[in-house]
Amino acid sequence: MAMQAIGYKEFFFFFFSEIQLDEAVRILKRDTRHFAKRQLTWFRRDTRIRLYKPGDVQTIVEALAP
């Protein structure tokens, strides 16, 4: 299970000299972007979840009002 955590396997390969640090960081950044994209896709499909933009304070306040 731990090897599925973001960043773990990249740095595992780095620590055992299978890849360079810059390559591990590049792969980690790529995999993080892919994970975030999958999360957003999942959230958008769930009709119970509403996404708000951080600057849209008024809409957020209205949504939280009783």
Side-chain angles (χ1 to χ4, degrees):
M1 194 74 157
M3 284 294 276
Q4 294 177 339
I6 294 176
Y8 189 92
K9 86 179 149 186
E10 292 80 14
F11 284 102
F12 176 83
F13 292 132
F14 166 70
F15 289 135
F16 290 98
S17 302
E18 295 183 27
I19 61 176
Q20 297 292 319
L21 178 60
D22 59 338
E23 179 68 4
V25 170
R26 184 191 69 75
I27 294 169
L28 175 60
K29 287 179 180 180
R30 180 200 65 197
D31 291 352
T32 301
R33 283 191 306 271
H34 290 174
F35 180 72
K37 186 174 181 179
R38 285 193 308 272
Q39 281 186 318
L40 283 173
T41 299
W42 185 84
F43 282 128
R44 286 185 186 121
R45 288 182 182 171
D46 190 332
T47 57
R48 299 169 297 167
I49 298 172
R50 293 181 59 188
L51 299 175
Y52 299 96
K53 295 180 180 165
D56 197 3
V57 177
Q58 186 61 35
T59 305
I60 295 169
V61 169
E62 290 170 4
L64 295 174

